[in-house]
């Protein structure tokens, strides 16, 4: 299968290792990965902040980039950005009175999958340890991000994949379905409420005693990780893709409390 | 934004208690400092949440019921003028009198006139959001009429000269010790030895209220439902105080928002399942009262219903926002909202707090009114409210829609930091090459990080982020650059 990677702007610029790990996992399964060069961002930050006019060129760019390449399906290591591509893009086009863009955006959205959705529903990954050689000998707790959980209805897909990783001990996160308080510009516009939500999320994560908090969205993980780091908790945050990409031959290092960079071995 | 012409000249915005007087972020910041409030809210909302999930989860057709509720309300909004006229004709035919009020002030003047005509200076009240919304108690008080709340929690709030902070459990912000202190200070003739045992508190309230029920000549209620094809009205409640008010006094005045209509009696089948399970987490509420006009020798002999607009047609004219009028005031969205749980109801200013209030208040008043433009931002868009709503109001989408209206209302003025930042981001994020060029600058951010590779302080609005969170130093190269090198691209 030819798979187009939508890295998402935050992973592209700040957490390239999650996109590298996504490539590694897909290539390990024998698929070809392409990276449409024109891609930039889903525009969710603009839409969710009410800047619909400014979102239009961002949406149009995404649609253009993902129409110009030949591929079977597109994938992004983010439930939130995929939900934006699927649900917000047609709405932004409609609001701008651009029926053509709405139709094209809908077509791109239909071919776009969140990583765990692609792995489980399309590529049939049921046992990451066997099928991907996934190995991660650490205690992990898992935060299901809101948009993956509620907009994409990912259900148990991400946690199920984590459970299938050799050596990984998954510890239940209390109040897991509660938002971490990120919410994009909410975190600066309503910084105090957001921080109060984060404090509770961080306390729940720390109560599990896990050394890593995993998730499927680096936006939420940046928020949670930023709080855990400020608290000096010593708990690291890692993307699901990085954990799936980790093998016995090339285990992914758990970033220490000092946040040392992680090396991911591709292929 | 497109507006549907409804053929109603001169839509007027809602008035009364629908306004945030202070921007939400600063009001919420103050309320966050109240540790007692946060403990009470956490305890109360998580208890109701669990009860609701138990009783909604046990119904195999819960999702179909939500669909039915949503479809019924959508059809009511589409046929509202016709249904309202049918309702008016049926109430009138059964001996009731219908009044129309365009805003809070008109409603209050009509109510005052009706009470004055009965020659009384006190009335008893059934818990009602509509009368809170129009500030009726305060209006009547200014005109020498005392309106006594008979719902226990509303009574607590009224005795304390406070404002409700939740639509279902108005005194959610008070614990029982605080309640005892309020009773001791404010309740006439209360036993000075009163303890904070809930049973003793309820008995004190009961004794206080019983005298009011038996002497009141006029009662004022809201309505949960109005049935168009018969003119029947319904109030659902838990304590029986409502039943007392609806049956004992000789005159009953009901204030009902125009969106409360249902086409026919059989539609209650859907809503009397949706409402109690979503609000109190009960399979059925203890008291469901239904009445139609007046019946000789039974119940009130004079019945008036006031149909209240107060900005509802404004909301109806907003194609994206009109489904907010489907709300049946169950408060499920409030009880699951992580922002409400921390900020509390008072931070929203309006009678309607929480996620539904954050859309309903600005839809009714216009997003430009006072500080109501800050309400649609009072959400992380986690979506828990949409999942919980029994009539499937897509609150997150409407929040985002109203943010768009707020941003558009401020275009052309002095740009904020966020305006400048997001306009620049739109330029950079609408082209892969431009984003690539910006990403080349990211490693410069590494200089801002300390030895521990963390950025701990940012200027301007980003300081809101670093108040509680670090940012890792950016990587030495973007994914885009890594990919290009791997694939020998330029």
């Amino acid at each position: 299968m030819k798979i187009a990677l939508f890295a998402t702007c935050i992973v592209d610029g700040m957490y390239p290792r999650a996109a590298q790990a996504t490539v590694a996992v897909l290539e390990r399964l024998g698929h070809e990965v392409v990276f449409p060069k024109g891609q930039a961002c889903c525009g969710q930050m603009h839409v969710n902040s009410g800047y619909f006019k400014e979102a239009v060129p961002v949406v149009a760019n995404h649609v253009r980039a993902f129409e110009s390449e030949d591929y079977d399906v597109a994938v992004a290591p983010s439930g939130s950005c995929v939900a934006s591509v699927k649900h917000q893009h047609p709405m932004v086009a409609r609001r701008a009175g651009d029926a053509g863009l709405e139709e094209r955006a809908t077509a791109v959205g239909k071919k776009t999958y969140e990583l765990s959705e692609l792995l489980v529903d399309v590529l049939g990954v049921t046992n990451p340890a066997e099928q991907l050689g996934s190995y991660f000998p650490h205690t992990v707790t898992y935060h299901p991000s809101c948009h993956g959980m509620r907009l994409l209805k990912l259900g148990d897909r991400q946690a199920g994949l984590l459970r299938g990783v050799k050596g990984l001990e998954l510890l239940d996160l209390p109040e897991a379905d509660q938002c971490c308080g990120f919410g994009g510009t909410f975190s600066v516009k309503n910084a105090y409420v957001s921080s109060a939500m984060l404090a509770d999320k961080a306390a729940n994560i720390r109560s599990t005693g896990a050394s890593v908090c995993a998730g499927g969205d680096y936006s939420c993980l940046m928020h949670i990780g930023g709080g855990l780091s400020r608290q000096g908790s010593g708990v690291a945050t890692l993307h699901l893709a990085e954990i799936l990409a980790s093998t016995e031959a090339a285990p992914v290092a758990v970033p220490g409390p000092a946040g040392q960079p992680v090396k991911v071995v591709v292929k | 934004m497109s507006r549907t012409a409804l053929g109603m000249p001169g839509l007027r915005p809602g008035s009364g208690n629908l306004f945030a007087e202070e921007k939400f972020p600063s009001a919420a910041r103050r309320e966050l400092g109240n540790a007692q409030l946060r403990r009470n809210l956490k305890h109360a909302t998580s208890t109701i949440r669990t009860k609701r999930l138990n009783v909604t989860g046990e119904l195999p057709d819960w999702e179909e019921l939500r669909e039915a509720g949503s479809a019924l309300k959508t059809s009511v909004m589409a046929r509202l003028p016709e249904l309202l006229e049918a309702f008016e004709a049926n109430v009138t035919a059964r001996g009731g009198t219908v009044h129309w009020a365009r805003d809070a002030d008109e409603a209050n003047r009509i109510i005052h006139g009706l009470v004055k005509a009965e020659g009384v200076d006190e009335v008893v009240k059934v818990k009602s959001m509509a009368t809170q919304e129009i500030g009726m108690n305060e209006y009547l008080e200014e005109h020498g009429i005392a309106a006594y709340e008979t719902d226990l929690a509303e009574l607590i709030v009224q005795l304390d000269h406070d404002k409700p902070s939740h639509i279902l459990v108005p005194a959610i912000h008070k614990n029982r010790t605080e309640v005892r202190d309020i009773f001791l200070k404010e309740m006439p003739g209360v036993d000075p030895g009163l303890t904070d045992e809930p049973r003793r508190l309820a008995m004190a309230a009961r004794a206080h209220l019983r005298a009011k029920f038996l002497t009141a000549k006029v009662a004022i209620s809201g309505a949960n439902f109005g049935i168009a094809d018969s003119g029947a009205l319904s109030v659902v409640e838990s304590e029986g105080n409502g039943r007392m008010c609806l049956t004992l006094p000789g005159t009953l005045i009901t204030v009902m928002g125009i969106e409360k209509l249902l086409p026919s009696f059989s539609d209650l089948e859907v809503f009397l399942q949706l409402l109690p399970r979503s609000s109190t987490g009960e399979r059925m509420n203890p008291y469901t009262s239904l009445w139609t006009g007046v019946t000789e020798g039974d119940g009130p002999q004079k019945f008036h219903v006031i149909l209240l607009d107060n900005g509802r047609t404004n909301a109806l004219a907003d194609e994206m926002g009109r489904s907010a009028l489907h709300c049946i005031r169950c408060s499920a969205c409030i009880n699951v909202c992580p922002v409400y749980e921390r900020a509390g109801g008072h931070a929203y200013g309006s009678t309607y707090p929480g996620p539904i209030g954050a859309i309903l208040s600005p839809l009714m008043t216009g997003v430009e009114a006072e500080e109501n433009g800050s309400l649609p931002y009072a959400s992380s868009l986690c979506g828990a409210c949409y999942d919980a709503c029994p009539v499937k109001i897509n609150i997150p989408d409407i929040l985002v829609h109203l943010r768009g209206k707020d941003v558009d209302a401020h275009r052309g003025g002095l740009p904020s930091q966020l305006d400048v930042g997001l306009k620049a981001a739109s330029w950079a994020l609408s082209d892969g090459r431009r984003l690539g060029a910006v990403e080349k600058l990211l490693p410069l951010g590494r200089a801002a990080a300390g030895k521990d590779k963390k950025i701990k302080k940012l200027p301007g609005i980003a300081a809101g982020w670093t108040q509680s969170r670090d940012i890792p130093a950016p990587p030495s190269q973007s994914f885009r650059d890594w990919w290009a090198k791997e694939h020998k691209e330029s």
Side-chain angles (χ1 to χ4, degrees), chain A residues 203-228:
Chain A
N204 279 323
I205 290 169
R206 296 178 72 169
S207 78
T208 66
S211 58
V212 170
C213 174
D217 273 89
Y218 247 124
S219 46
C220 316
L221 290 178
M222 177 172 82
H223 185 242
I224 293 169
L228 290 169

Side-chain angles (χ1 to χ4, degrees), chain A residues 136 138-143 156-165 167-173 208 210 212-215 240 243:
Chain A
F136 192 73
H138 302 279
T139 49
V140 173
T141 191
Y142 161 72
H143 169 68
D156 195 46
R157 288 180 184 80
Q158 296 184 342
L161 289 170
L162 287 173
R163 269 186 229 109
V165 172
L168 186 152
E169 188 188 346
L170 191 64
L171 302 170
D172 279 345
L173 177 63
T208 66
V212 170
C213 174
L240 166 71
I243 293 175

Side-chain angles (χ1 to χ4, degrees), chain A residues 12 37-40 46 48 51 54 95 147 150 175 179 190 192 194-195 200 223 226 229-230 258, chain B residues 42 342 377 381-382 401 403 411 419 422-423 426 432 439 452 454 456 466-470 479-480:
Chain A
D12 183 12
K37 267 205 293 192
Q39 67 176 277
H46 288 98
N48 287 352
Y51 291 73
E54 287 76 7
R95 235 180 131 109
H147 293 172
R150 300 202 178 92
E175 301 181 355
C179 177
N190 276 285
Y192 289 91
S194 169
S195 291
D200 292 341
H223 185 242
S229 160
R230 176 62 57 90
Chain B
K42 169 103 188 166
R342 287 160 183 91
Y377 300 95
L381 303 177
C382 80
H401 161 70
R403 293 176 187 187
R411 285 188 194 275
D419 289 334
L422 287 179
K423 276 181 208 299
S426 170
E439 284 167 355
D452 56 1
K454 293 175 186 175
K456 296 192 164 163
T466 45
Q467 68 170 231
S468 64
R469 316 148 184 105
D470 297 334
F479 174 77
R480 189 183 303 270

Side-chain angles (χ1 to χ4, degrees), chain B residues 110-137:
Chain B
I110 294 166
I111 297 162
H112 177 227
L114 294 171
V115 176
K116 214 164 84 176
E118 296 304 314
V120 298
D121 59 6
E122 59 177 58
V123 300
V124 286
K125 273 192 70 191
V126 186
K127 175 170 162 38
S128 139
M129 297 313 299
T131 58
Q132 294 278 4
E133 171 192 322
I134 60 175
M136 186 196 77
N137 290 7

